[in-house]
Amino acid sequence: MSTSKLESKPEPGEKPKSRLKPRSGDNRRGAIAGLIIAILILGVGWWLARDLTAASKMQDCLMSGRSNCNVIEPAR
């Protein structure tokens, strides 16, 4: 019987065909893009948490019946 070229074993004296390797630059590009996206999400989350905390403190102050709820910065 004849052997076909679809077999995974190379014939004697023939080099095995290597699979194409992805370029390392593509892998790094994806990793850097993921890192940038993660940093952006963390930054937006941090900003949102601070903003919501400030709004909550202001609402608590107003709900307690006070009329002067402005933030007073301490003198340095």
Side-chain angles (χ1 to χ4, degrees):
M1 298 198 162
S2 65
T3 59
S4 66
K5 295 285 184 179
L6 298 177
E7 291 179 4
S8 62
K9 295 179 184 178
E11 293 181 14
E14 185 179 326
K15 288 185 177 179
K17 295 180 181 178
S18 63
R19 296 181 180 164
L20 295 177
K21 294 181 181 177
R23 293 181 298 186
S24 62
D26 292 340
N27 292 340
R28 287 189 187 126
R29 222 177 270 153
I32 290 172
L35 182 63
I36 290 171
I37 290 170
I39 289 171
L40 285 173
I41 290 172
L42 286 173
V44 168
W46 179 75
W47 171 76
L48 188 60
R50 284 191 51 155
D51 196 40
L52 288 174
T53 301
S56 175
K57 287 179 182 179
M58 179 66 74
Q59 188 176 15
D60 289 344
C61 179
L62 291 172
M63 292 296 287
S64 69
R66 295 186 220 160
S67 60
N68 187 10
C69 294
N70 292 333
V71 177
I72 300 172
E73 295 290 327
R76 293 182 185 208

